[in-house]
């Protein structure tokens, strides 16, 4: 894998939390916010962490040890993850960024490293389980303009721009080599402490 300075991480914190019913970024797990758990998983792999929040959203106190961390407001309010990822890519100085949601506290660093390693050949590296997993993927800055075009056309499906870029998919069996139980893809606050 290239030096981590080539990579950033985008953590989406501004979702509506309709399933949980309250702000998921601030939800406590083992005495720490979900958002902090996710930052702790991605920060060692990258040169910068960008947290994308809804305008005016209050976030818990967060830190990323020795990795620079920035909080940016979503430039495309109300457009869901597509707008959040586009905002994060535009704010990043890295050429490629992991994009993950703030409610995935059991992310596998081994799997994330493999996604980053594969990203040299693609604009997007995305796992596919039953369906594509766009909130556990790597995006290059070359995705910004195709994403913006979709946003401007109010075509908000997060995978809708993929036909305009080069995508490498990572199949379930390949993902299981790095995360045997696929815990990375579970977005819940109901983890037993032994999983973290």
């Amino acid at each position: 894998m290239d030096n981590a300075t080539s990579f950033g991480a985008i953590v989406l914190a501004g979702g509506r939390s309709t399933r949980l019913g309250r702000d998921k970024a601030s939800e406590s797990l083992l005495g720490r916010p979900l958002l902090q758990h996710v930052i702790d998983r991605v920060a060692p792999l990258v040169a910068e962490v960008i947290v994308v929040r809804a305008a005016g959203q209050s976030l818990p106190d967060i830190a990323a040890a020795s990795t620079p961390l920035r909080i940016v407001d979503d430039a495309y309010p109300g457009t869901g993850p597509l707008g959040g990822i586009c905002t994060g890519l535009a704010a990043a100085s890295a050429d490629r960024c992991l994009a993950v949601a703030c409610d995935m506290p059991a992310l596998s660093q081994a799997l994330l490293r493999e996604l980053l390693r594969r990203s040299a050949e693609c604009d997007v590296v995305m796992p596919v389980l039953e369906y594509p997993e766009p909130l556990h993927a790597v995006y290059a800055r070359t995705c910004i303009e195709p994403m913006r075009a979709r946003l401007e056309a109010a075509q908000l499906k997060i995978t809708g721009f993929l036909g305009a870029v080069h995508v490498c998919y990572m199949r379930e069996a390949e993902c299981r080599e790095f995360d045997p139980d696929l815990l990375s893809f579970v977005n819940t606050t109901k983890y037993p402490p032994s999983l973290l």
Side-chain angles (χ1 to χ4, degrees):
M1 186 171 82
D2 291 340
N3 188 309
T5 56
S6 302
F7 304 115
I10 299 163
V11 182
L12 301 183
R16 294 183 184 171
S17 302
T18 51
R19 284 176 296 179
L20 188 60
R22 54 192 181 273
D23 180 30
K24 59 188 174 186
S26 300
E27 185 72 12
S28 181
L29 178 65
L30 301 177
R32 294 165 47 235
L34 273 180
L35 178 57
Q36 186 64 60
H37 284 281
V38 172
I39 290 169
D40 290 346
R41 296 288 175 130
V42 300
L45 307 178
V46 297
E48 61 181 340
V49 176
I50 297 166
V51 176
V52 181
R53 68 175 180 181
Q57 179 185 7
S58 295
L59 294 178
D61 290 335
I62 51 176
S66 60
T67 305
L69 183 147
R70 287 187 293 141
I71 298 169
V72 299
D73 288 346
D74 193 338
Y76 303 93
T79 60
L82 182 63
I85 294 170
C86 190
T87 296
L89 280 174
S93 56
D95 291 332
R96 289 177 170 77
C97 293
L98 290 165
V100 296
C102 69
D103 60 347
M104 304 167 84
L107 290 167
S108 163
Q109 288 183 329
L111 179 54
L112 295 175
R113 276 192 197 94
E114 180 62 12
L115 291 170
L116 289 169
R117 188 190 70 77
R118 293 181 182 210
S119 71
E121 306 299 322
C122 317
D123 298 310
V124 178
V125 181
M126 186 177 296
V128 177
L129 305 183
E130 186 176 351
Y131 301 102
E133 297 287 343
L135 295 184
H136 191 293
V138 178
Y139 298 87
R141 291 181 58 82
T142 51
C143 296
I144 292 174
E145 289 310 316
M147 286 179 170
R148 282 183 178 152
R150 290 296 219 175
L151 289 162
E152 289 167 6
Q155 297 172 345
L156 305 182
K157 184 176 179 182
I158 190 171
T159 56
F161 79 97
L162 294 179
V165 296
H166 180 215
V167 185
C168 297
Y169 291 104
M170 190 169 177
R171 303 297 172 184
E172 179 176 334
E174 297 173 288
C175 292
R176 285 187 184 275
E177 292 176 25
F178 301 93
D179 184 0
D181 297 319
L182 302 178
L183 296 177
S184 292
F185 301 96
V186 180
N187 54 348
T188 179
T189 60
K190 305 301 183 195
Y191 282 98
S194 62
L195 297 183
L196 298 174

